[in-house]
Amino acid sequence: MDHSADAQRTDLMTITRFVLNEQSKHPESRGDFSILLSHIVLGCKFVCSAVNKAGLAKLIGLAGETNVQGEEQKKLDVLSNDVFIKALISSGRTCILVSEEDEEATFVEPSKRGKYCVVFDPLDGSSNIDCGVSIGTIFGIYLIKEDHEPTVEDVLQPGKNMLAAGYCMYGSSCTLVLSTGSGVNGFTLDPSLGEFILTHPDINIPKKGRIYSVSEGNAKNWDGPTTMYVENCKYPKDGSSPKSLRYIGSMVADVHRTLLYGGIFLYPADKKSPNGKLRVLYEVFPMSFLMEQAGGQAFTGNQRALDLVPKKLHERSPIFLGSYEDVEEIKALYSADEK
């Protein structure tokens, strides 16, 4: 038995150790944020385990209900939503929870209430469950002022007010990507330890990428700037090589690849969905927060994504996010179109 190798394995930067190290940089901290993150991590581990055995446990397939977005709910969606609601309430650090699966916000009872609001999509890309494509959980965390009874208005803040955001991707490995406002770090679940280990420290998206990611099936309904941008990706006028198209159809997986390899992810508005398809609070904001923290940009077609002020919980928005220079190109096209 190789004892030295085993000893080496204990000197790993786990997500718990990482969060506690970050906490120690803030002497005034009481550890509430660290406790909340540990409950989110526990929820991710639970969902990862459920996703891995979904086919065996008959969790694949429909639960026979439709969620507020009009999408048929998969059994795993329902389970994941329950897992996160329970994990977040039991942390004792949350006061409002907004889930993609629930029409109304969940207000935590006063005895278990804390000062944080968590917005989340418990299982994004769930239409891909049956074919084994990567799916994931997306979350964002806001701080709520404690001088009044919490209301829905407390959640309807611009994304730039978020304290932290992240996603957990359940794919060939289970990867958790997190930003607490000072850079982006990626952790991979080591199943033998049951711990997330820091594997992607300080992620920086390349300034320009060679990949574009969009559902081209909607091309006939796009506006002018989006059509022109995709045309330029395929037939560059400056003599450069065309970009490669990669589209998985699971936002977590597409954004994860964009973050690591560079390029741009587009989900534009079109004639069928004039306000776009992706939800502002728990899809657009967390992913835009991560992109900006990694040195990229996120744009709605009108403005910086994180400056958007949502008016309702399940509001939608177009989104263009990714490498700084790639997003600059689409911003220039929109600005020229306005003129």
Side-chain angles (χ1 to χ4, degrees):
M1 191 170 170
D2 187 351
H3 291 293
S4 61
D6 278 347
Q8 183 65 34
R9 290 178 74 212
T10 61
D11 188 30
L12 296 166
M13 180 60 82
T14 65
I15 194 163
T16 311
R17 191 172 152 193
F18 179 85
V19 168
L20 290 174
N21 282 0
E22 288 295 303
Q23 184 189 316
S24 66
K25 296 175 188 171
H26 305 275
E28 75 288 355
S29 169
R30 301 205 326 254
D32 287 347
F33 189 65
S34 305
I35 290 167
L36 173 58
L37 280 174
S38 73
H39 280 252
I40 291 174
V41 167
L42 179 65
C44 291
K45 287 178 186 173
F46 195 101
V47 173
C48 178
S49 167
V51 167
N52 285 342
K53 55 178 189 255
L56 301 170
K58 300 243 182 325
L59 284 165
I60 285 177
L62 302 174
E65 294 175 20
T66 302
N67 69 6
V68 295
Q69 317 302 336
E71 298 162 343
E72 290 184 315
Q73 277 181 305
K74 299 272 180 174
K75 291 176 187 174
L76 260 178
D77 287 17
V78 182
L79 173 76
S80 306
N81 194 41
D82 289 349
V83 164
F84 278 101
I85 297 262
K86 289 188 172 109
L88 291 165
I89 291 175
S90 67
S91 73
R93 302 298 183 276
T94 57
C95 57
I96 313 174
L97 309 176
V98 176
S99 166
E100 194 235 10
E101 299 295 331
D102 297 325
E103 191 156 358
E104 304 295 334
T106 300
F107 291 91
V108 180
E109 60 183 89
S111 63
K112 294 180 179 171
R113 197 174 281 170
K115 58 184 177 183
Y116 296 105
C117 159
V118 182
V119 292
F120 62 100
D121 184 344
L123 208 59
D124 181 73
S126 52
S127 60
N128 288 316
I129 293 168
D130 292 16
C131 59
V133 167
S134 294
I135 51 182
T137 298
I138 309 172
F139 61 89
I141 302 171
Y142 287 108
L143 184 64
I144 304 288
K145 291 193 179 78
E146 293 182 278
D147 55 3
H148 63 282
E149 195 66 17
T151 66
V152 169
E153 275 59 49
D154 288 318
V155 191
L156 300 175
Q157 301 185 45
K160 63 185 176 189
N161 293 359
M162 271 185 178
L163 286 189
Y167 59 81
C168 188
M169 184 174 72
Y170 315 110
S172 53
S173 57
C174 179
T175 309
L176 196 150
V177 174
L178 173 71
S179 173
T180 54
S182 49
V184 181
N185 292 279
F187 304 81
T188 305
L189 185 63
D190 180 336
S192 65
L193 296 173
E195 283 280 8
F196 279 100
I197 309 298
L198 180 64
T199 49
H200 297 74
D202 197 22
I203 297 171
N204 279 297
I205 185 169
K207 278 268 175 271
K208 191 172 176 65
R210 300 195 48 211
I211 295 171
Y212 72 104
S213 184
V214 64
S215 175
E216 286 220 46
N218 296 325
K220 71 177 179 128
N221 296 315
W222 288 343
D223 62 15
T226 301
T227 305
M228 257 167 89
Y229 181 79
V230 172
E231 194 71 9
N232 289 345
C233 288
K234 294 193 281 195
Y235 308 103
K237 296 182 176 66
D238 60 2
S240 60
S241 302
K243 288 189 190 300
S244 300
L245 169 65
R246 297 282 183 275
Y247 187 69
I248 298 163
S250 174
M251 189 191 191
V252 172
D254 279 313
V255 170
H256 186 65
R257 183 202 54 247
T258 305
L259 200 55
L260 295 184
Y261 299 164
I264 188 167
F265 170 82
L266 312 86
Y267 210 119
D270 58 35
K271 288 175 192 146
K272 283 192 303 182
S273 311
N275 298 319
K277 279 286 286 285
L278 297 177
R279 272 68 60 142
V280 172
L281 275 176
Y282 41 80
E283 290 175 329
V284 170
F285 280 169
M287 294 310 202
S288 301
F289 185 90
L290 289 166
M291 274 300 163
E292 286 201 4
Q293 284 293 321
Q297 290 196 78
F299 176 64
T300 65
N302 289 315
Q303 64 187 123
R304 174 190 175 212
L306 293 180
D307 288 338
L308 196 63
V309 183
K311 295 183 179 58
K312 51 184 197 284
L313 290 181
H314 300 289
E315 190 170 313
R316 299 171 190 257
S317 168
I319 187 68
F320 306 88
L321 51 80
S323 294
Y324 194 91
E325 290 180 16
D326 291 324
V327 177
E328 275 297 303
E329 282 178 37
I330 196 134
K331 280 165 78 174
L333 289 169
Y334 270 96
S335 129
D337 190 57
E338 279 170 18
K339 291 171 188 164

